[in-house]
Amino acid sequence: MNSSGVSRALHHYAILTAGATLLLLMAGALVVGYEAGLAVPDWPLSYGTWMPPLVGGILYEHGHRMIAGTVGVLTTALVIWLWWKEPRRWVKALGLVAWVAVVAQAILGGLTVLYRLPVPVVIAHGCLAQTFFCLVLSLALVTSPAWERAAQAAEEPPAPDFWHLAAAATAALFIQLALGAALRHKALGLGPHWVWAGVAGFLVGWVCYRAVTELAVQDGLRKLARWLGGILALQVALGVASYAFRAVTQGIHEPQTSVVLITSAHLATGALLLGCSLLVTLLAYRRVAAAGKVASFAGDPQRTFA
Amino acid sequence: MIRSKLFWMVPLSLTLGLLGCGGGQPPAEQSGGAAAPSATPAAAPAAPIDPATAATITGKVAFDGTAPARPRIRMDAVPACTQRSSEAALVEEAIVNDNKTLRNVFVYVKEGLGDRSFPPPAEEVVLDQQGCVYHPHVLGLIAGQKLRIKNGDPTNHNIHPMPAQNREWNTSMPPGAADLIQEFPRAEVMIPVKCNVHPWMKAYVGVLRHPFFAITGADGSFEIKGLPPGSYTIEAWHEKYGTQQMQVTVGEKESKQVDFTVKG
């Protein structure tokens, strides 16, 4: 296999790892939704075994652990592959950061069980999950042909401040996901999540608007930004539906499957939204930088961080 | 140069974001502050209660309004929960009896006993798991009294009390496991208990420093016997309808009726 073939295979493998991570995020959301976080009281084993009877909440909690284990193995293999075949040192280092993140995430998961869901740890577990997803997605991007094409600046780069806006939208989305985690674990009320949804939604919408109005129709970044807009619309709809279903089923003792599924879909779509926004940010930066138009925060469009 | 920037940009921005969201307050468990009632007997015990002069408080908890529906607990996905009983289990959050009274109300002396202390009795209180439902749904203990937890189901349960003043624990009980013996050393009304394996399973434990409590049953009545003459605050607690208090004074050998009415 030539180096291009290896690179393509590595890229596809990184996508597979990112997909498995998204599945893991959904499994985690199901654990919270079905209140099964402590259905298995021990860790790292489950009821002292590797495979307890998968009944009730044990199915969700142990299922989450099994998927997490799979993602851990996939990530380890990805990092080994990167260190073996990837020529760029910074990509190797990024892979190592992802591996450290997945190990830290496993430890946080264990702490949530052993210390019976301490709220800061549980919220950190949720935030690190999103961070890890972003890291793996970044690895998938930087090993992709699109990343190389962006460096060739074949297309007209976006305005220098476009990537600043995209970065702000990505940061806002990350904060919004953290607020969502705080809401789910009852550290905060609904207010901050609602208010910040407006801020994050506005920024993401602005990114989409600028991409659509300023970039060429065939531009890949424009297409990606359109996807971003579509995911944003879906996410808003799921957020409203999640609130409505919760309101309707309020007072019912046991977790309602409809609420659990919608809330889990809301969480997973939020991760997709964050990931897509990060891809837009990184690609925009790559193209702006390739064109030598990276603006400094001092406002000089010709200066670069270099 | 671009590479180095990207190398720092991706992990650094995400890590900074993570640090920003992971903070907050420390875990809010086992506060056990100075205000928490202690299971330690008072230093200067009051005079013993003379059974010959003991008073009784009786009453009932009436329900005013339309009885809430009791939906069936959907546990069909776990056959082990349903195989031993053909009757569908119903939600126990609010049970209105046929005589328009409320079941599972924990009625107890909240104030008025001063510094009297009551050693925990040797008799155990049993909490059983049958058909993936706790029996009883509401129970009372004296601080330090043994609680025997049984698992009569052919499936895994975990017992997870979530107290504010006592130590939280979460213990698994596989089918056929030996009974679990636990106790709560501090008074606390009420301690929710749940099973994380079967999230519909909920029970409530009231822990007091004295034995003057009762739980309403199928006729909604209660009786608290053996009280020394005096003035008391009686509180009725219900998991859905909250608490109500009444003041009552009883003399020697006196029996008084205290009726509560809960609005639905």
Side-chain angles (χ1 to χ4, degrees):
Chain A
M1 189 180 285
N2 58 31
S3 63
S4 168
V6 170
S7 173
R8 216 170 16 249
L10 184 58
H11 167 59
H12 290 153
Y13 183 78
I15 290 175
L16 173 73
T17 308
T21 304
L22 189 62
L23 193 65
L24 177 59
L25 284 167
M26 292 177 73
L30 290 176
V31 169
V32 177
Y34 281 112
E35 301 172 12
L38 295 176
V40 180
D42 53 341
W43 184 88
L45 294 177
S46 299
Y47 288 91
T49 72
W50 291 105
M51 184 54 69
L54 299 177
V55 295
I58 301 173
L59 170 67
Y60 302 107
E61 171 61 18
H62 190 70
H64 179 54
R65 293 184 187 189
M66 286 196 294
I67 298 171
T70 304
V71 168
V73 171
L74 286 172
T75 306
T76 304
L78 176 63
V79 173
I80 292 170
W81 197 343
L82 283 169
W83 278 72
W84 183 29
K85 289 291 183 184
E86 173 59 50
R88 295 166 292 180
R89 288 182 61 193
W90 66 272
V91 176
K92 290 181 181 182
L94 191 60
L96 195 60
V97 170
W99 186 81
V100 170
V102 82
V103 171
Q105 180 69 344
I107 293 170
L108 281 179
L111 291 177
T112 63
V113 172
L114 298 178
Y115 290 93
R116 292 178 291 277
L117 306 180
V119 171
V121 176
V122 174
I123 293 174
H125 188 57
C127 293
L128 186 54
Q130 302 283 354
T131 307
F132 173 71
F133 178 61
C134 287
L135 286 167
V136 177
L137 215 51
S138 301
L139 286 170
L141 174 67
V142 300
T143 53
S144 71
W147 187 250
E148 288 309 314
R149 280 201 304 273
Q152 293 156 10
E155 294 162 320
E156 182 64 24
D161 61 344
F162 179 81
W163 87 268
H164 290 164
L165 177 63
T170 303
L173 285 171
F174 190 87
I175 292 169
Q176 176 65 353
L177 291 173
L179 291 174
L183 170 65
R184 293 201 81 189
H185 298 289
K186 299 180 176 63
L188 288 175
L190 183 61
H193 191 59
W194 266 115
V195 170
W196 197 257
V199 175
F202 173 76
L203 287 172
V204 172
W206 193 4
V207 169
C208 298
Y209 173 78
R210 285 196 56 181
V212 168
T213 55
E214 295 175 14
L215 299 175
V217 174
Q218 295 306 314
D219 193 319
L221 191 56
R222 185 178 188 271
K223 291 175 184 169
L224 191 59
R226 284 172 65 99
W227 270 101
L228 185 66
I231 298 170
L232 173 67
L234 177 63
Q235 177 68 343
V236 170
L238 284 170
V240 172
S242 176
Y243 176 76
F245 271 71
R246 271 182 193 278
V248 168
T249 58
Q250 198 168 28
I252 297 180
H253 238 40
E254 59 215 275
Q256 298 298 295
T257 301
S258 56
V259 175
V260 173
L261 292 181
I262 288 175
T263 310
S264 301
H266 184 53
L267 184 143
T269 307
L272 270 181
L273 190 62
L274 173 67
C276 192
S277 183
L278 179 69
L279 296 185
V280 169
T281 304
L282 294 177
L283 279 173
Y285 175 82
R286 175 81 160 160
R287 281 171 52 179
V288 169
K293 286 188 176 179
V294 174
S296 76
F297 288 105
D300 180 353
Q302 296 308 316
R303 282 179 58 192
T304 72
F305 290 120
Chain B
M1 201 61 71
I2 293 169
R3 289 172 182 173
S4 65
K5 274 181 249 170
L6 275 170
F7 165 69
W8 288 111
M9 187 173 67
V10 176
L12 189 65
S13 59
L14 294 173
T15 307
L16 284 174
L18 174 69
L19 288 172
C21 72
Q25 298 175 348
E29 60 171 333
Q30 286 101 41
S31 57
S38 169
T40 310
I49 298 170
D50 179 5
T53 63
T56 301
I57 295 173
T58 59
K60 65 181 172 60
V61 181
F63 184 82
D64 181 14
T66 305
R70 292 184 60 198
R72 184 172 68 88
I73 298 173
R74 298 174 66 178
M75 56 175 87
D76 307 337
V78 190
C81 291
T82 55
Q83 68 188 35
R84 287 189 177 173
S85 173
S86 56
E87 282 188 27
L90 305 179
V91 169
E92 295 182 287
E93 185 186 28
I95 304 175
V96 176
N97 298 313
D98 293 340
N99 64 351
K100 294 288 283 181
T101 57
L102 197 56
R103 199 181 303 187
N104 287 334
V105 180
F106 186 75
V107 185
Y108 70 104
V109 174
K110 183 169 187 178
E111 290 170 2
L113 287 163
D115 58 358
R116 290 180 188 277
S117 63
F118 299 84
E123 180 190 350
E124 296 173 342
V125 175
V126 174
L127 177 63
D128 199 0
Q129 299 161 103
Q130 291 278 358
C132 297
V133 174
Y134 286 121
H135 303 280
H137 183 63
V138 176
L139 63 152
L141 289 171
I142 298 175
Q145 188 175 10
K146 303 291 184 200
L147 174 65
R148 178 178 289 273
I149 302 160
K150 297 169 174 284
N151 181 10
D153 284 328
T155 188
N156 273 310
H157 287 299
N158 72 317
I159 310 288
H160 183 196
M162 293 166 289
Q165 308 294 344
N166 288 277
R167 181 180 61 85
E168 184 179 353
W169 44 270
N170 178 19
T171 304
S172 62
M173 288 194 78
D179 294 351
L180 184 66
I181 310 288
Q182 285 283 355
E183 62 182 60
F184 298 99
R186 293 169 182 268
E188 185 171 351
V189 176
M190 303 287 288
I191 300 174
V193 179
K194 71 183 289 185
C195 170
N196 298 96
V197 179
H198 309 103
W200 61 82
M201 289 179 69
K202 289 190 169 83
Y204 295 89
V205 180
V207 184
L208 300 172
R209 284 186 296 165
H210 58 75
F212 303 113
F213 61 86
I215 296 153
T216 60
D219 63 355
S221 67
F222 64 87
E223 182 181 57
I224 299 174
K225 295 190 293 187
L227 272 168
S231 295
Y232 299 102
T233 300
I234 308 296
E235 182 166 275
W237 172 96
H238 187 267
E239 66 177 286
K240 180 172 183 177
Y241 299 110
T243 58
Q244 286 187 21
Q245 291 183 5
M246 293 188 83
Q247 304 294 326
V248 60
T249 300
V250 287
E252 291 185 3
K253 298 182 186 177
E254 191 177 14
S255 180
K256 274 202 173 167
Q257 177 134 356
V258 176
D259 292 333
F260 293 90
T261 300
V262 171
K263 291 193 181 300

